[in-house]
Amino acid sequence: MSDLSIGDLARRTGVKVPTIRYYEQMGLVPEPPRTEGNQRRYGRAELERLTFIKHARDLGLPMEAIRDLIDLSAHPERPCGDAERIAAEQLATVRDKIARLQRLEAELERIMAHDHGAHTVAECHVLRALADHSLCDGDH
């Protein structure tokens, strides 16, 4: 199967054409052979690689980690420790983001709770809190 155009590849993977070209420029996807009409033609390997990259991006992995994982996948005899370390680092990053979002949620709820009964902008605690960070309850 080496008969996919870049548009076909984009539709099958859900990755936009400019992004596919970007991944090629970054060396994450090898540049495919071209037809006599200079059209790119992709096969199963590129389809699988692009699917891998998309899934990794959907999980929030940074490009450098994806590059490392692609390099690891080219050496199936290697131990899995590096891949597990990369996944563990991403999990820690996600947990940090969740904790930050929970702090933001709590602070927004707290700010909004002060506005029950405020009928004018002059009485609006939300606007005062946004203008004066000292009205917030800690760092967020």
Side-chain angles (χ1 to χ4, degrees):
M1 175 176 90
S2 62
D3 59 347
L4 293 174
S5 70
I6 196 166
D8 294 334
L9 187 64
R11 280 186 288 284
R12 291 189 62 177
T13 61
V15 176
K16 294 180 178 180
V17 169
T19 304
I20 295 171
R21 290 185 184 131
Y22 173 72
Y23 291 160
E24 287 176 8
Q25 290 172 353
M26 300 251 327
L28 295 174
V29 175
E31 195 167 320
R34 293 178 180 258
T35 65
E36 288 181 22
N38 205 29
Q39 288 187 332
R40 294 169 166 92
R41 295 319 247 180
Y42 299 89
R44 180 169 301 284
E46 292 84 11
L47 177 69
E48 290 173 359
R49 170 72 60 89
L50 196 54
T51 300
F52 179 94
I53 294 168
K54 180 168 185 340
H55 192 192
R57 293 296 293 154
D58 289 346
L59 290 171
L61 287 159
M63 295 305 284
E64 191 56 41
I66 294 170
R67 184 181 305 284
D68 291 345
L69 290 167
I70 288 170
D71 290 343
L72 282 170
S73 68
H75 303 282
E77 73 285 353
R78 285 188 183 170
C80 188
D82 287 337
E84 291 172 346
R85 176 189 50 77
I86 291 168
E89 288 170 359
Q90 182 59 19
L91 178 59
T93 298
V94 167
R95 286 179 173 158
D96 287 344
K97 286 178 184 178
I98 289 170
R100 182 171 184 273
L101 288 170
Q102 288 173 331
R103 288 191 305 273
L104 290 174
E105 176 187 35
E107 182 60 20
L108 286 167
E109 286 177 346
R110 193 190 68 74
I111 289 170
M112 290 177 61
H114 283 81
D115 266 344
H116 294 307
H119 298 291
T120 66
V121 169
E123 300 170 324
C124 183
H125 184 75
V126 170
L127 294 175
R128 285 196 316 270
L130 291 173
D132 183 357
H133 191 35
S134 69
L135 295 175
C136 291
D137 188 28
D139 218 8
H140 45 77

